[in-house]
């Protein structure tokens, strides 16, 4: 048996490469990363080609080892060169991503030391680090010190955790779900509806509250709906307020909604996945008034803290109900019970073993300090307003509301033919060009093109280029 084990060991040791191999691989990966970053200025924000990534199938899993250079070539050709490039300054579609460089280093460190950041006993330092980041976010949102929260993989899971906790807190059980009412606007992010389905609440009633002219949830309609529902024997259960809708960046009247929720004992959730970190811009503070009244808040560092994809956050003002949902002590984990000085992520989240996400967030925040984050967010805000102003100077353009955050909307009022059809052609032409990527939306049957300025690399130069591209495409389409 010893001989057999020794023979296996010889092969299995390949999983632990020596210094020279590591040095080779490090060099190759750093070269790849440097090339990628240095070419960003000239790479398109959106590209399609014939193979559309199919070449990656040549690298299906086999018994044999493949050299890293080959794999990186495939990465460049089959992954990087097709679709939307979320690292590019020209990506202004949907809510674009980020990818701060120090986050990559944070992920590298987290993968090397592989600390078990789900449980305090296993990794007290790692759990404290994530707790410190959550404390910082709580403070930013005006939450009290006894608030809890954890880093999720994104905003959708954060919304799910909030909804499940609300369900527990409001004592919803199978027999009263059909009477439960959820209040939201049509501009709420679809992850709310998805989370309701996952949480077993699809039989509950969705009450869509009309919008005001700024596409914000209308307060007077909200309270009337609640009163009517109560009179009809229903149970108002959950209000979702968007702090920055994905479509237009509109901010629902948070403070008023909070007062109504409190008065009627309804769970108040603020979905600030896109807008939350704009709180770092001091002059926007008034828009955040009342956020601290929320029972739960969703934030998304992979949006407005410019992190690479895979980091959201949920904050809960009070820990009782979230513990009721997520806390377990498995028999095999009995050693961990007494050692916990602070709550572990596993106690208040659906995950147990998890990525140590804190490292990719902490490193950039510490290496840069907050100042450049505040500047970048204010810059994005002003870039959206600048675009909104400049596009109106070009004959024929119509715009959506003045951007509250960093999303602007526009469309061209052609004299020839249907407006929605023309603007569909316009967005296709912009996307086909690819230097800047925009996406579109439909609000009350009207087709709008959106400009979402969220990438940290997006500056004045790209907005000016966008204005040029739009003029160029209009000329082509109108002749
Ligand atoms: C993006 C977004 C979400 C979903 O977050 P993911 O990180 O994509 O899962 C939820 N709500 C709002 C307002 C968003 O903008």
């Amino acid at each position: 048996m010893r001989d057999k084990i020794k023979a296996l060991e010889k092969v299995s040791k390949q999983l632990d490469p020596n210094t020279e191999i590591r040095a080779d691989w490090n060099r190759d990966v750093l070269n790849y990363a440097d090339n990628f970053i240095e070419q960003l200025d000239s790479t398109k924000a959106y590209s399609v080609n014939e193979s559309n990534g199919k070449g990656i199938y040549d690298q299906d899993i086999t018994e044999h080892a493949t050299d890293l250079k080959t794999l990186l070539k495939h990465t460049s050709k089959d992954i990087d060169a097709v679709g939307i490039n979320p690292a590019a300054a020209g990506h202004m579609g949907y809510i674009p991503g980020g990818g701060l460089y120090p986050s990559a280093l944070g992920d590298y460190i987290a993968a090397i030391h592989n600390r078990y950041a789900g449980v305090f006993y296993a990794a007290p330092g790692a759990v404290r680090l994530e707790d410190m980041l959550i404390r910082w976010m709580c403070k930013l949102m005006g939450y009290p010190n006894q608030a809890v929260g954890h880093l999720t993989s994104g905003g959708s899971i954060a919304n799910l955790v909030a909804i499940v906790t609300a369900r527990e807190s409001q004592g919803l059980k199978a027999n009263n779900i059909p009477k439960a009412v959820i209040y939201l606007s049509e501009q709420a992010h679809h992850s709310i509806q998805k989370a309701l389905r996952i949480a077993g609440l699809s039989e509950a009633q969705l009450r869509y509250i009309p919008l005001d002219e700024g596409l914000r949830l209308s307060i007077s309609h909200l309270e009337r709906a609640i009163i009517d529902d109560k009179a009809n024997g229903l149970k108002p259960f959950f209000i979702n307020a968007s702090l920055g809708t994905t479509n237009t960046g509109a901010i629902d009247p948070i403070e008023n909604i909070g007062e109504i929720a409190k008065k009627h004992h309804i769970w108040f959730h603020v979905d600030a996945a896109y807008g939350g970190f704009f709180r770092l811009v001091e002059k926007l503070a008034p828009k955040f008034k009342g956020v601290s009244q929320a029972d739960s808040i969703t934030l998304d560092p992979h949006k407005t803290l410019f992190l690479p994809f895979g980091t959201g956050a949920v904050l809960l003002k009070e820990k009782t109900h979230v513990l009721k949902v997520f806390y377990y002590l498995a028999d095999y984990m009995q050693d961990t019970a007494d050692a916990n000085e602070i709550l572990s992520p596993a106690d208040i989240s659906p995950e147990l073993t998890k990525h140590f996400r804190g490292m990719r967030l902490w490193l950039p925040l510490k290496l840069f300090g907050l100042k450049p984050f505040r500047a970048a967010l204010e810059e994005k805000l002003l870039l959206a307003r600048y675009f909104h102003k400049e596009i109106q100077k070009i004959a024929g353009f119509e715009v959506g509301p003045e951007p509250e955050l960093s999303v602007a909307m526009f469309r061209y009022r052609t004299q020839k033919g249907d407006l929605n059809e023309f603007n569909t052609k316009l967005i296709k032409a912009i996307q086909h060009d690819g230097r800047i990527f925009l996406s579109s939306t439909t609000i009350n049957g009207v087709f709008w093109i959106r400009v979402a300025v969220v990438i940290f690399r997006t500056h004045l130069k790209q907005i000016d280029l966008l204005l040029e591209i739009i003029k160029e495409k209009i000329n082509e389409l109108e002749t």
Side-chain angles (χ1 to χ4, degrees), residues 95 153-157 159 189 191 244-246 271 273-274 300 302-303:
I95 300 290
S153 56
S156 299
I157 300 300
N159 281 339
H189 193 269
S191 57
T245 59
T246 318
D271 183 356
Y274 157 56
D300 230 355
H302 66 202
K303 286 179 176 163

Side-chain angles (χ1 to χ4, degrees), residues 40-103:
L40 271 177
D41 227 23
S42 57
T43 38
K44 288 186 168 186
Y46 179 69
S47 344
V48 272
N49 63 28
E50 280 288 293
S51 83
N52 213 18
K54 288 196 193 87
I56 205 70
Y57 295 136
D58 296 348
Q59 293 303 328
D60 201 355
I61 310 307
T62 67
E63 291 297 327
H64 309 290
T66 310
D67 68 283
L68 183 55
K69 285 196 171 69
T70 306
L71 300 177
L72 291 172
K73 266 188 210 134
H74 276 281
T75 307
S76 298
K77 181 169 85 52
D78 300 318
I79 299 173
D80 300 348
V82 285
I84 300 169
N85 182 351
H91 177 19
M92 304 178 207
Y94 311 106
I95 300 290
L100 292 174
Y101 188 73
S103 291

